[in-house]
Amino acid sequence: QYEILTYLNKKYYNQKIVFKANNTEHFNKISLNLSNIEIDYTSSFSDLLPNAKLVILDTPSTTLVESCYTNKPIFVLDGRSKYTSKYKNLIKTRVAMFSNVKTLLKSIDRYMLKESYEPKKNTKELDQYFNFRSSEQKVYDSVIKSLNKILN
């Protein structure tokens, strides 16, 4: 994280950069003092997503799934979490995944200069894999189920 944040702080001094700290208290020992990096300890990741230009994840988990359902470019540093090959191959259709910091940062630079992003921004395969349905769809399904119980 330090290498990524230090680079972003120096290279993108004219951009607003928000580092979302982990919600788990004992993981929130962040001792960085970078002038252009805002460390957010209180907002939820979902609340920050709408205003993000892009998403960078170094330990993708639920944050990765949440990010996949936006139109934001997602850059992932792989290696801290173990994933199946099936999952990795599928997720790479949506995210730019890198095995080292140097190539991750080069790809971010390319995006910032040209807004070029290779993976698709939305895929039906991910919807099927995660069995994702919107909140509105869940409410609709629940109402229909309840009505069917009442009427039948």
Side-chain angles (χ1 to χ4, degrees):
Q1 292 174 343
Y2 179 77
E3 187 177 350
I4 295 169
L5 291 172
T6 303
Y7 180 85
L8 296 174
N9 184 65
K10 184 177 178 183
K11 176 97 181 196
Y12 298 105
Y13 59 87
N14 59 343
Q15 301 283 326
K16 179 179 180 183
I17 300 170
V18 178
F19 175 77
K20 171 63 182 109
N22 194 299
N23 288 334
T24 309
E25 192 173 319
H26 66 275
F27 287 126
N28 270 341
K29 305 286 187 228
I30 300 167
S31 57
L32 295 175
N33 189 12
L34 301 170
S35 59
N36 192 40
I37 307 286
E38 174 190 333
I39 300 174
D40 187 319
Y41 291 97
T42 58
S43 301
S44 73
F45 182 76
S46 329
D47 289 343
L48 295 172
L49 271 174
N51 296 319
K53 181 173 185 170
L54 59 91
V55 176
I56 305 168
L57 300 169
D58 72 336
T59 308
S61 56
T62 310
T63 53
L64 177 59
V65 176
E66 288 179 78
S67 300
C68 284
Y69 291 97
T70 70
N71 283 322
K72 311 293 181 186
I74 306 165
F75 298 86
V76 174
L77 182 60
D78 189 22
R80 288 182 67 184
S81 300
K82 297 285 183 193
Y83 299 111
T84 64
S85 336
K86 179 181 178 182
Y87 177 79
K88 266 184 153 176
N89 291 334
L90 178 62
I91 210 67
K92 284 180 183 177
T93 65
R94 174 61 182 92
V95 308
M97 189 175 277
F98 304 92
S99 59
N100 65 66
V101 172
K102 191 173 187 175
T103 54
L104 170 95
L105 294 173
K106 280 184 182 179
S107 185
I108 291 169
D109 286 344
R110 213 171 25 257
Y111 174 76
M112 293 298 284
L113 282 172
K114 303 175 188 172
E115 290 205 3
S116 67
Y117 181 72
E118 295 162 14
K120 299 174 192 171
K121 289 200 177 169
N122 286 315
T123 65
K124 297 229 182 265
E125 296 87 359
L126 284 175
D127 286 349
Q128 292 168 349
Y129 184 83
F130 292 124
N131 193 20
F132 182 81
R133 293 181 302 154
S134 70
S135 298
E136 293 84 10
Q137 183 64 45
K138 289 178 185 176
V139 170
Y140 174 80
D141 291 349
S142 178
V143 168
I144 294 297
K145 189 176 181 179
S146 296
L147 284 171
N148 281 333
K149 282 182 181 177
I150 293 169
L151 297 173
N152 293 325

